[in-house]
Amino acid sequence: MKKPFIHALIIAALSAALSTPAFAMDTPKPEPKDPDKKDVQLEQARAAIAREDWTGAQSLLRDIVVRQPQNADAHNLYAYSMRKGPAPQMDLVFRHYNEALRIDPQHRAAREYLGEAYLMTGNVAKAKDLLAELDRLCKAGCVEQAELKRSISNFERQHAAK
């Protein structure tokens, strides 16, 4: 009697986790106690990313980075939207991921995405260094660690075939 219930819970949890990849892009923060303090522009940028509106997200995030230069999530999401958009300027992508990590050295999403950016430039060694850092940060495992490991594996498999 308990097994079907447990299986249903596991399936529901997996479905929820797999159906919302756009929200794994940054380190979630607790909801502010005062809803008026919530950064509406950052929420709009996250929504633009979820729609894959890279240009719209970049515009919003560029403004946030100027207004809040110490916001690690804004730097991370700005770099992410540039990397995913057409013709990414990788020097800017690297600059903003590194700024996110300077501000918040524990920012797991920035480490994952910086590793994926290195893969875009063919630098597997740097991506593996970032995976090793995630291994240290995520002793019990985390989504960012698993995703970067998968990205490295896919990259190596694709390039081994050539």
Side-chain angles (χ1 to χ4, degrees):
M1 190 72 111
K2 288 186 180 185
K3 282 188 180 183
F5 177 72
I6 292 171
H7 288 263
L9 282 176
I10 292 170
I11 290 170
L14 285 173
S15 296
L18 295 174
S19 67
T20 58
F23 296 103
M25 292 176 287
D26 60 334
T27 306
K29 303 288 188 252
E31 288 294 317
K33 291 182 181 19
D34 182 359
D36 294 334
K37 299 276 187 201
K38 194 174 195 175
D39 190 329
V40 174
Q41 198 172 19
L42 189 57
E43 294 306 312
Q44 291 171 339
R46 285 185 175 115
I49 289 170
R51 292 189 311 271
E52 297 184 7
D53 175 7
W54 308 121
T55 305
Q58 288 170 32
S59 177
L60 290 162
L61 290 159
R62 188 179 313 109
D63 291 345
I64 297 169
V65 165
V66 168
R67 188 171 33 88
Q68 300 174 25
Q70 294 301 307
N71 186 327
D73 287 338
H75 283 281
N76 176 54
L77 293 174
Y78 185 40
Y80 180 87
S81 65
M82 285 190 286
R83 182 170 63 90
K84 291 293 196 170
Q89 294 179 352
M90 295 307 287
D91 59 327
L92 284 175
V93 169
F94 288 118
R95 183 181 321 153
H96 285 281
Y97 280 136
N98 283 311
E99 183 62 11
L101 289 171
R102 185 195 67 75
I103 296 165
D104 179 3
Q106 307 298 311
H107 203 294
R108 296 185 318 242
R111 288 192 191 288
E112 174 196 344
Y113 294 136
L114 179 57
E116 291 173 359
Y118 278 122
L119 291 175
M120 288 175 69
T121 64
N123 194 336
V124 180
K126 285 277 199 182
K128 286 182 176 181
D129 288 346
L130 287 156
L131 179 59
E133 291 174 21
L134 282 170
D135 289 343
R136 283 190 296 278
L137 286 173
C138 305
K139 301 259 188 255
C142 61
V143 172
E144 297 85 0
Q145 175 190 35
E147 287 297 316
L148 183 54
K149 184 180 251 182
R150 184 184 59 75
S151 294
I152 291 170
S153 177
N154 288 343
F155 181 89
E156 289 179 330
R157 190 173 36 257
Q158 289 171 352
H159 289 82
K162 292 181 181 181

